[in-house]
């Protein structure tokens, strides 16, 4: 199994776990109230206050240029470009991480500290910053924190890498390219041709011909049924 497939399974597994957890604590559903159908507008789902906050966060800058360069390199080590998809940075993962640390301030110190650790380790081993060493040297450092020995698993490098990897996976697999790679279909309308005639005959049933004409026409599949017109 290649790296991208492994990360894909980690992402799907994480999503499934969160869904199961939320379903376990979900309150009893309230009766569905009749509401008017509204057209989805640009930005639908975000309140004005939320949209304003998002814009304010995007206008701010937390990581400096050197840190962003390191984030970009590290993101592409975790999810590099291959024959099936683009690299993490090509989907905007570095910008996603920059946004997340502003949206969740608790991430700021651990990630900035981790980037500092990475550069110190690079200088210790190769007398250069992480973005200035060769790809082979970068992988040498990452391998020690991605696959740490048991007694080092809770040390700064591995702890930072584990949290950073989660952000990269989330950013990549929620991007358009990542969703395409997952081949996520979502809720897509299809055409239902109704119960087969032989099954209807077996149970002595038949369709109302008037209903059949209006309810089984694929050309009107996106139209909202007006039952008042049908009952007249």
């Amino acid at each position: 199994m290649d790296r991208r497939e492994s990360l894909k399974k980690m992402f799907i597994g994480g999503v499934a776990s969160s869904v199961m957890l939320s379903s376990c604590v979900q309150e009893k559903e309230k009766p569905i109230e009749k509401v008017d159908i509204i057209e989805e507008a640009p930005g639908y789902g975000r309140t004005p206050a939320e949209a304003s906050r998002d814009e304010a966060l995007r206008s701010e800058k937390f990581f400096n240029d050197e840190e962003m360069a390191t984030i970009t390199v590290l993101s592409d080590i975790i999810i590099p470009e291959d024959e099936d998809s683009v690299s993490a940075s090509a989907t905007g993962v570095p910008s996603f991480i920059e946004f997340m640390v502003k949206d969740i301030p608790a991430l700021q110190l651990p990630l900035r500290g981790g980037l500092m650790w990475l550069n110190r380790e690079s200088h210790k081993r190769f007398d250069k910053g992480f973005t200035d060493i060769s790809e082979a040297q970068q992988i040498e450092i990452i391998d020690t924190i991605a696959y740490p020995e048991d007694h080092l698993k809770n040390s700064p490098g591995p702890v930072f890498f584990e949290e950073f990897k989660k952000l990269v996976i989330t950013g990549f697999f929620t991007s358009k390219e990542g969703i395409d790679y997952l081949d996520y279909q979502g809720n897509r309308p299809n055409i239902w041709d109704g119960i087969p005639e032989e099954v209807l005959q077996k149970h002595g049933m038949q369709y109302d011909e008037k209903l059949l004409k209006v309810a089984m026409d694929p050309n009107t599949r996106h139209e909202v049924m007006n039952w008042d017109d049908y009952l007249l």
Side-chain angles (χ1 to χ4, degrees):
M1 181 182 297
D2 63 26
R3 181 185 303 173
R4 194 184 300 265
E5 280 296 316
S6 299
L7 296 176
K8 173 181 175 181
K9 291 182 181 296
M10 289 177 59
F11 176 77
I12 294 174
V15 170
S17 298
S18 64
V19 170
M20 290 177 63
L21 179 61
S22 63
S23 64
C24 289
V25 299
Q26 187 176 15
E27 295 181 358
K28 184 177 180 180
E29 294 184 359
K30 298 179 180 179
I32 298 176
E33 298 179 0
K34 183 177 179 181
V35 296
D36 293 333
I37 296 175
I38 61 173
E39 293 294 328
E40 184 171 318
Y44 179 74
R46 305 295 287 167
T47 66
E50 289 172 332
S52 177
R53 180 176 181 273
D54 288 349
E55 189 61 32
L57 290 178
R58 291 190 184 96
S59 67
E60 299 172 2
K61 185 175 181 179
F62 177 74
F63 291 118
N64 59 40
D65 292 344
E66 181 182 354
E67 289 170 328
M68 287 301 294
T70 304
I71 288 171
T72 299
V73 171
L74 186 52
S75 296
D76 286 349
I77 288 175
I78 294 171
I79 302 184
E81 179 181 6
D82 62 15
E83 63 277 6
D84 295 318
S85 189
V86 298
S87 66
S89 65
T91 68
V93 165
S95 296
F96 167 79
I97 294 175
E98 162 79 4
F99 180 85
M100 291 303 296
V101 299
K102 293 179 292 189
D103 187 48
I104 308 176
L107 293 173
Q108 294 177 3
L109 184 60
L111 261 64
R112 173 159 278 165
L115 295 173
M116 292 174 62
W117 180 92
L118 201 61
N119 266 315
R120 282 199 303 269
E121 187 68 15
S122 181
H123 276 285
K124 185 189 304 181
R125 296 191 190 194
F126 308 110
D127 294 321
K128 293 180 181 179
F130 188 75
T131 58
D132 296 322
I133 59 179
S134 69
E135 182 178 350
Q137 291 170 331
Q138 291 169 347
I139 297 298
E140 179 183 322
I141 295 176
I142 297 307
D143 280 348
T144 61
I145 59 176
Y147 312 103
E149 297 178 10
D150 288 342
H151 68 284
L152 295 175
K153 285 185 177 180
N154 293 322
S155 58
V159 171
F160 157 72
F161 183 79
E162 187 65 24
E163 291 305 311
F164 189 89
K165 181 176 65 175
K166 290 176 184 177
L167 286 171
V168 172
I169 293 172
T170 302
F172 179 83
F173 285 113
T174 54
S175 69
K176 179 183 183 302
E177 295 84 355
I179 291 173
D180 288 343
Y181 179 79
L182 288 172
D183 195 28
Y184 176 70
Q185 300 298 311
N187 295 325
R188 296 189 177 186
N190 57 11
I191 298 175
W192 185 57
D193 293 325
I195 300 172
E197 182 63 29
E198 62 270 20
V199 176
L200 289 171
Q201 291 180 3
K202 178 180 178 180
H203 295 279
M205 306 290 290
Q206 66 179 16
Y207 276 113
D208 179 332
E209 290 299 322
K210 182 180 178 182
L211 175 62
L212 199 60
K213 290 179 181 179
V214 296
M216 305 298 288
D217 182 2
N219 295 320
T220 60
R221 61 193 293 193
H222 296 298
E223 297 179 12
V224 178
M225 180 70 177
N226 189 329
W227 291 100
D228 291 337
D229 292 343
Y230 169 73
L231 295 173
L232 293 177

